[in-house]
Amino acid sequence: MSMNRRTALGIAAGALTGSLKPEPANAEQTASSAKTGEGLQLTDYQPRSMLHVPETKVLKARYPVIDVHTHLSFAAKSAKGVPLSPERTWLTTPEEALGVMDRKNLRILINLTGGQAGGLRDAVARFDRAHPGRFLTFTEPWWSRASEPGYPQFQADELQRAHSDGARGLKVLKTLGLYLRERTTEGPLVKIDDRRFDPMWEACGALKMPVAIHISDPEAFFLPIDRFNERWEELHNHPDWSFHGADFPSNQQLLDARNRMFARHPRTQFVALHVGNDSENLAYVSECMDKFPNMHVELAARIGELGRQPRASKKFFDKYQDRIMFGTDATPHGDKFPQQVYSDALYEIYFRFLETEDEYFNYAPSEIPPQGRWRIYGLGLSDAVLKKVYYENAVRLLGLHPIGTA
Ligand SMILES: [Zn+2]
């Protein structure tokens, strides 16, 4: 970056280290700098596109939608990234969730973080049983007990119990690989392909419970939070999302461990969340999809990546049209992460991305793109592919009753 450009953007050298808080807007400064642009802080920079391009409002999905990745509840207690209680904290009421669902043509929401035992039973009663056909709940492993003797069999048995209690699949947070340690929150990190989980993965296969698994994170989260980092603003806002340095494995080491685990359990169906968590590298995700027929993906919080490489993405959707599902990571009142806050606006962006060929639009309902300063291009999927992604693939994977077109 030349000195001139640096001055024009008003970025103090220190502000890019992630150690300084960017200065808030200064009205006087803004007014006085209107002629030269001097003094503008990066956080205040909100360029408006001058492109005159069509803007399609997609208020309702063209076909019914199953959102396979939402969070309507979380563990009431957790420490250092490890959920520690079966009890749930509720992020919404079913009634509130149903309002958005009915307006947007969302047939079913899958609440992935349903917990275990009593917490799971509460989640199933509160959502699935109270509103049949609208909500499904996944269970989660007992991470807090993973270091106890007898855990492998205990966890496999728990899967059976969770299945009887109404769980439709297993959710694995990025806790595995990045947070869970030998003494739960202390000691060395537990490996993703640790043998103690083998009976759990096998039980999921036997019970036909798909595993929704979040492994690793965007590539930029493993790099320094510096001026070369394409997600600098996001990491600056959430420094705890950085896995650079310390004792963290690299992104590739995490994905390799995941792949060894996929290979060992061919009868178990895995939904590798967030486009297999390497949407920056669709060639690599494709390689994995080719190698593991038991691997599926969903889109949650990655339309920002898919939408800035629309030609590669379109090919990816065409090639793997039977193994891609609709997901958002929608979290009610998750206002700190605009790319996944459960709202009408969020779904309208996803539908616009999948259904239209609109160009250069925001991937999240916020003034400043929250994950990185770029915009996206619609894929304009065919009706046949759209139906598969919206609901047909999920219906098949979860063994649901067929859904007719609305
Ligand atoms: Zn999620």
Side-chain angles (χ1 to χ4, degrees):
M1 191 184 278
S2 76
M3 231 18 232
N4 282 346
R5 282 198 55 204
R6 181 175 292 186
T7 313
L9 274 173
I11 301 165
L16 280 174
T17 64
S19 61
L20 291 179
K21 275 256 167 289
E23 291 293 315
N26 178 329
E28 225 172 88
Q29 197 176 37
T30 310
S32 69
S33 68
K35 279 205 171 103
T36 61
E38 223 168 293
L40 177 65
Q41 295 293 319
L42 180 59
T43 42
D44 297 324
Y45 186 50
Q46 297 178 21
R48 295 186 178 156
S49 169
M50 293 294 108
L51 287 185
H52 295 247
V53 287
E55 200 178 308
T56 316
K57 267 260 170 218
V58 187
L59 294 173
K60 221 174 165 121
R62 196 180 303 162
Y63 302 105
V65 171
I66 299 176
D67 186 339
V68 304
H69 189 164
T70 72
H71 299 284
L72 308 180
S73 55
F74 268 121
K77 200 178 141 215
S78 63
K80 296 184 180 173
V82 183
L84 295 173
S85 68
E87 291 76 33
R88 302 288 89 191
T89 295
W90 309 110
L91 304 181
T92 185
T93 61
E95 290 69 27
E96 189 184 33
L98 282 162
V100 175
M101 291 170 76
D102 291 341
R103 285 192 294 275
K104 300 294 119 183
N105 201 13
L106 299 169
R107 188 62 63 85
I108 300 172
L109 291 193
I110 300 190
N111 177 22
L112 292 181
T113 29
Q116 318 84 6
L120 171 68
R121 288 191 288 275
D122 287 348
V124 170
R126 182 183 171 97
F127 290 100
D128 310 23
R129 301 247 152 91
H131 301 275
R134 303 309 302 277
F135 299 98
L136 298 174
T137 303
F138 276 32
T139 185
E140 294 170 89
W142 287 85
W143 301 122
S144 56
R145 303 178 73 157
S147 305
E148 295 176 7
Y151 173 78
Q153 194 52 46
F154 161 80
Q155 184 58 73
D157 295 344
E158 275 299 292
L159 255 289
Q160 178 72 61
R161 267 191 286 275
H163 185 258
S164 317
D165 286 339
R168 302 303 292 260
L170 176 73
K171 157 72 170 173
V172 175
L173 292 165
K174 66 182 164 191
T175 300
L176 183 60
L178 288 168
Y179 295 117
L180 180 67
R181 293 172 182 272
E182 285 299 346
R183 295 184 304 284
T184 311
T185 56
E186 306 296 335
L189 286 163
V190 173
K191 300 265 192 306
I192 292 160
D193 58 338
D194 192 293
R195 292 275 177 186
R196 84 186 77 175
F197 304 114
D198 281 352
M200 172 175 83
W201 309 128
E202 283 301 304
C204 289
L207 294 161
K208 297 206 182 328
M209 292 167 77
V211 180
I213 185 163
H214 179 153
I215 289 298
S216 194
D217 249 344
E219 291 190 13
F221 286 15
F222 294 83
L223 300 174
I225 309 175
D226 64 11
R227 65 198 173 115
F228 300 115
N229 196 309
E230 70 170 359
R231 301 174 85 119
W232 180 83
E233 282 172 291
E234 183 178 34
L235 288 165
H236 184 69
N237 289 333
H238 306 278
D240 53 315
W241 292 1
S242 170
F243 299 113
H244 173 64
D247 61 348
F248 295 116
S250 70
N251 180 49
Q252 194 56 52
Q253 285 170 326
L254 292 165
L255 296 173
D256 286 346
R258 175 200 72 182
N259 289 354
R260 287 193 293 275
M261 191 271 280
F262 283 180
R264 280 215 302 269
H265 305 285
R267 292 186 318 136
T268 305
Q269 302 302 313
F270 293 94
V271 183
L273 302 173
H274 308 295
V275 199
N277 242 324
D278 206 3
S279 46
E280 299 90 329
N281 189 350
L282 287 178
Y284 175 71
V285 180
S286 303
E287 218 177 274
C288 296
M289 297 284 274
D290 291 341
K291 217 181 278 175
F292 308 111
N294 57 335
M295 174 178 168
H296 312 254
V297 296
E298 57 81 53
L299 317 177
R302 295 296 181 275
I303 60 172
E305 270 57 63
L306 297 172
R308 57 179 162 141
Q309 44 179 331
R311 288 179 286 274
S313 292
K314 182 86 182 284
K315 282 184 197 135
F316 183 81
F317 272 80
D318 283 338
K319 182 153 185 214
Y320 302 104
Q321 55 183 267
D322 295 314
R323 290 152 69 193
I324 302 175
M325 281 168 282
F326 182 93
T328 56
D329 214 353
T331 305
H333 310 292
D335 306 317
K336 281 191 189 150
F337 335 111
Q339 68 273 17
Q340 58 185 83
V341 63
Y342 182 73
S343 62
D344 291 66
L346 180 79
Y347 286 101
E348 287 169 21
I349 293 173
Y350 273 74
F351 301 157
R352 186 181 182 194
F353 169 60
L354 296 171
E355 295 186 21
T356 81
E357 290 187 337
D358 279 6
E359 300 194 284
Y360 202 66
F361 55 92
N362 289 335
Y363 58 79
S366 67
E367 284 294 331
I368 296 175
Q371 295 170 293
R373 286 197 182 240
W374 48 79
R375 297 193 188 194
I376 64 170
Y377 305 81
L379 298 185
L381 296 178
S382 71
D383 282 347
V385 174
L386 206 49
K387 274 190 218 174
K388 289 179 178 186
V389 170
Y390 272 165
Y391 69 95
E392 288 178 352
N393 293 338
V395 163
R396 195 177 59 250
L397 188 68
L398 289 154
L400 306 177
H401 294 300
I403 290 178
T405 51

